[in-house]
Amino acid sequence: MLETILALLIIIGAFFTLVGSIGLYKLPDFYMRLHGPTKATTLGVGAILVASALYFSFKPGEISLHEILVTVFLFITAPVSAHLMAKAAIHIKLKQIERTKNTPYQADNNS
Amino acid sequence: MLDIALPIAFTLVSFALALSLLRLIIGPDLPDRILALDTLYINSIALLILLGLYLGSALYFEAALLIAVMGFVGTVALSKYLLRGDIME
């Protein structure tokens, strides 16, 4: 029973990690690419870490809480780094394709 | 069950690493490369945790935590460099 849940969580996590990287590789412009790896950070690594926490917690005599630390750290830092990268891309006026709407640096130029 | 799931997961995460590496190589501009490095360290965290599960050893979380901290600092430093032209002002 536990092993089935663990296998399911691991497969889900690895699948979403792959989906995030496929998004990073295939999407046409930076502002779209920024949104692919967020799936890898939250769902992918999150599911794998939950599986690892479960696996090491059901060993006799120990409860494993390191994984929670990594999960919390990733969940805190992922929005910050995504925000900074988007800000840097806007700052150097990165080109975008036609379909990406809402050009921020034509409206205001003071960043 | 787990000995079937783990090799599949290793394969999927390795493909993810290869795709991020391709984006790191071809990525046309600097923010693309920063984003590819960010994805690369997150995928390597997943790979390390999977290796810890495979070997049944809890030693690998410290390495994963270190990679998470250092990768975040690296991403912030590179983005700050693009934003300001300098890391420390």
Side-chain angles (χ1 to χ4, degrees), chain A residues 9 12-17 20 34-51 67 70-80 82, chain B residues 38-39 42-43 45-46:
Chain A
L9 275 173
I12 288 173
F15 173 73
F16 272 102
T17 311
L34 198 54
H35 123 110
T38 49
K39 273 89 218 159
T41 315
T42 51
L43 262 172
V45 181
I48 290 178
L49 283 166
V50 166
E67 294 91 351
V70 182
T71 316
V72 166
F73 188 80
L74 277 183
F75 274 43
I76 289 174
T77 57
V80 179
Chain B
D38 197 70
T39 314
I42 282 166
N43 289 347
I45 289 173

Side-chain angles (χ1 to χ4, degrees), chain A residues 49 52 56 66-67 70, chain B residues 44-45 47-67:
Chain A
L49 283 166
S52 175
F56 284 108
H66 309 253
E67 294 91 351
V70 182
Chain B
S44 69
I45 289 173
L47 202 58
L48 260 182
I49 300 287
L50 283 177
L51 184 67
L53 271 175
Y54 183 69
L55 297 178
S57 133
L59 276 175
Y60 291 90
F61 302 120
E62 279 78 12
L65 194 60
L66 267 178
I67 289 180

Side-chain angles (χ1 to χ4, degrees), chain A residues 89-109:
Chain A
I90 287 170
H91 181 72
I92 65 170
K93 296 188 170 43
L94 207 62
K95 277 201 289 292
Q96 59 192 22
I97 64 165
E98 197 91 350
R99 278 184 297 148
T100 306
K101 291 192 175 130
N102 294 336
T103 58
Y105 42 80
Q106 283 168 4
D108 65 88
N109 238 337

